Amino acid sequence: QVQLVESGGGLVQPGGSLRLSCAVSGRTFSNYAIGWFRQAPGKEREFVASIAKSGGTDYVTSVKGRFTISRDIAKNTVYLQMDSLKPEDTAVYYCAANPRGWSSIYGTSYAYWGQGTQVTVSS
């Protein structure tokens, strides 16, 4: 079993920044792919960003240039740095893991999920 715990959410004004963290269990964290997804009220869950075993990254078009996904192997942690936040970024953010290392924009590719952290962007 792989366990993930998100943290770092909160209330921020438009144009502000937040850094989300995803702490991941497992001895082979460096082989995992980690994805970030979000779900806003009344909307379907959507892909936000991912980092593969190789370190390659992917982002949904709406966050390119504003969000950055990274990992700290020593800490078994993945981060999502969110800058220039907009009200439409408001959602519960989830991290998910694929221990086999391949990333995807589809949630079904990830077997393990965290409980989520709320991000609210409002003036």
Side-chain angles (χ1 to χ4, degrees):
Q1 291 280 356
V2 177
Q3 297 182 19
L4 305 94
V5 179
E6 303 97 334
S7 62
L11 175 65
V12 64
Q13 294 185 1
S17 298
L18 283 173
R19 188 191 196 195
L20 305 184
S21 297
C22 176
V24 185
S25 68
R27 300 176 182 177
T28 56
F29 171 72
S30 63
N31 292 328
Y32 297 176
I34 304 295
W36 284 98
F37 295 79
R38 66 188 181 187
Q39 187 167 24
K43 295 185 177 181
E44 296 289 328
R45 181 181 65 190
E46 68 171 343
F47 168 80
V48 178
S50 67
I51 185 164
K53 173 183 177 179
S54 66
T57 59
D58 193 21
Y59 301 90
V60 68
T61 300
S62 61
V63 309
K64 287 181 179 178
R66 300 190 297 119
F67 291 11
T68 303
I69 188 170
S70 62
R71 66 185 176 186
D72 186 329
I73 300 298
K75 294 183 178 180
N76 275 31
T77 300
V78 170
Y79 303 98
L80 185 67
Q81 178 67 45
M82 304 185 294
D83 298 320
S84 301
L85 283 161
K86 304 175 180 179
E88 53 261 43
D89 295 318
T90 295
V92 177
Y93 284 70
Y94 300 89
C95 62
N98 176 3
R100 295 189 175 186
W102 55 80
S103 61
S104 171
I105 67 170
Y106 302 107
T108 52
S109 297
Y110 302 89
Y112 303 97
W113 292 77
Q115 294 300 307
T117 185
Q118 176 72 47
V119 172
T120 302
V121 184
S122 177
S123 60

